[in-house]
Amino acid sequence: MPSTSPARQPLPPQAPAAAPVKALGVAAMVVTVVLWASAFVGIRAIGPHFSPGSLTLGRLAIAAVVLAFLVVPQLLKSRLLPMGREWLPILAYGVMWFGGYNVALNAAEHILDAGTSALLINVNPILVAIMAGIFLKEGFPRWLLIGSTVAFAGVALIALGSGQPRTPGEGSTADLAGVALCLLAAVLAAVSVIIQKPVVRKFPAAQATWFGIVVGALCCLPFAGQLAAEVQAAPPQATLGLVYLGVFPTAIAFTTWAYALSLVDAGKLAATTYLVPGTTVLISWLLLGEIPTAWGLVGGLVCLVGVGLTRRRSRADRLRQQRFQR
């Protein structure tokens, strides 16, 4: 049975978090969105030099080393490690999210452009909201459902624009194999968010992230030989890009995500990732010259509106918060 030590028991329900804590949660979400958006562009940029499995291993290995400098001293001081069944959800999201998700996404971006990949991955928040309502008992707030629907419509508009041929006679970028890989990645990510939520209630965000990264890296060890060969053949810029992916969108962004997840309902937090496709399109436009379509720009604005709606609260929720604050 799981340990019943008080140090690892979930915290009891409390009054709504103070304003500084809420501000930190919002800041963590902003960092996550920007860095995850940059990851789509980074993968696209260095993809020609690294195969999907080796890119995943390199990215996770770098992230594991970087986070170890923060996490290992904490573990040595507290001497608190997951025990028994506490490892099961960590192993699950380590394999599915840090391993499977990244391999599937890397493979997809060998076929699709960065913006299209980002928008296809963003069926994820809808899946998270549904599963969080069912399995985490977060319910189905009206504005969450309305906002998610509006934001998903924005994603569809971006998809419509991104799937059009760039020039007459050119094939659609939305290749079926790439679409299938992105949808697989979205499912793996959505399930992992639900599994990770209870873990971040017991362990600090950096530790929960590091455990998952190490598990994912161990799963990708069969690609070690391939990674070594590709690093030797790759230009310095591609290797630096791999380092960037490991440090920023992985070590930092997944930690800020886990921290935000410890403060915010999974469904509401996942809805903010609808901001990723628009951010990705902008970064891809600036760095890779992938010019967004008019449909893409309109879709990005619709996504912003949808995310704003998910943050609204019903009158009953506002009254409940007022009672807590008295």
Side-chain angles (χ1 to χ4, degrees), residues 72-316:
V72 172
Q74 294 177 351
L75 293 176
L76 292 175
K77 182 178 180 180
S78 66
R79 298 187 181 277
L80 290 176
L81 285 169
M83 297 178 63
R85 294 183 181 178
E86 290 177 334
W87 278 108
L88 294 180
I90 295 172
L91 291 173
Y93 71 73
V95 171
M96 289 191 295
W97 201 355
F98 291 99
Y101 166 88
N102 280 295
V103 172
L105 176 59
N106 294 341
E109 289 210 51
H110 276 80
I111 304 170
L112 305 176
D113 62 77
T116 300
S117 299
L119 64 91
L120 288 170
I121 290 292
N122 269 267
V123 301
N124 169 40
I126 297 291
L127 299 175
V128 171
I130 293 171
M131 288 188 287
I134 297 173
F135 297 110
L136 299 182
K137 310 301 181 184
E138 292 181 1
F140 299 94
R142 180 180 62 178
W143 285 111
L144 174 62
L145 295 177
I146 294 173
S148 294
T149 302
V150 172
F152 187 71
V155 168
L157 289 174
I158 299 175
L160 179 64
S162 298
Q164 298 299 315
R166 298 288 180 180
T167 59
E170 183 183 358
S172 170
T173 59
D175 181 271
L176 289 178
V179 170
L181 287 166
C182 280
L183 293 179
L184 172 61
V187 171
L188 292 174
V191 175
S192 298
V193 169
I194 302 303
I195 294 173
Q196 189 187 38
K197 178 67 174 180
V199 176
V200 296
R201 291 172 177 162
K202 296 181 180 181
F203 299 96
Q207 292 181 21
T209 303
W210 188 66
F211 293 147
I213 287 174
V214 171
V215 170
L218 291 175
C219 292
C220 293
L221 280 179
F223 300 108
Q226 198 173 33
L227 174 62
E230 290 175 354
V231 166
Q232 290 180 344
Q237 296 90 336
T239 303
L240 289 175
L242 182 62
V243 173
Y244 172 84
L245 289 173
V247 175
F248 293 94
T250 309
I252 294 176
F254 275 96
T255 300
T256 53
W257 164 269
Y259 175 73
L261 186 62
S262 69
L263 301 176
V264 182
D265 286 348
K268 291 183 178 179
L269 181 61
T272 63
T273 62
Y274 276 120
L275 297 172
V276 171
T279 309
T280 300
V281 167
L282 177 60
I283 298 174
S284 181
W285 181 16
L286 295 175
L287 298 184
L288 301 182
E290 295 178 345
I291 302 175
T293 64
W295 283 110
L297 294 175
V298 172
L301 292 176
V302 174
C303 284
L304 289 172
V305 172
V307 171
L309 291 176
T310 66
R311 310 309 301 166
R312 293 193 63 177
R313 288 171 296 177
S314 66
R315 185 171 180 271

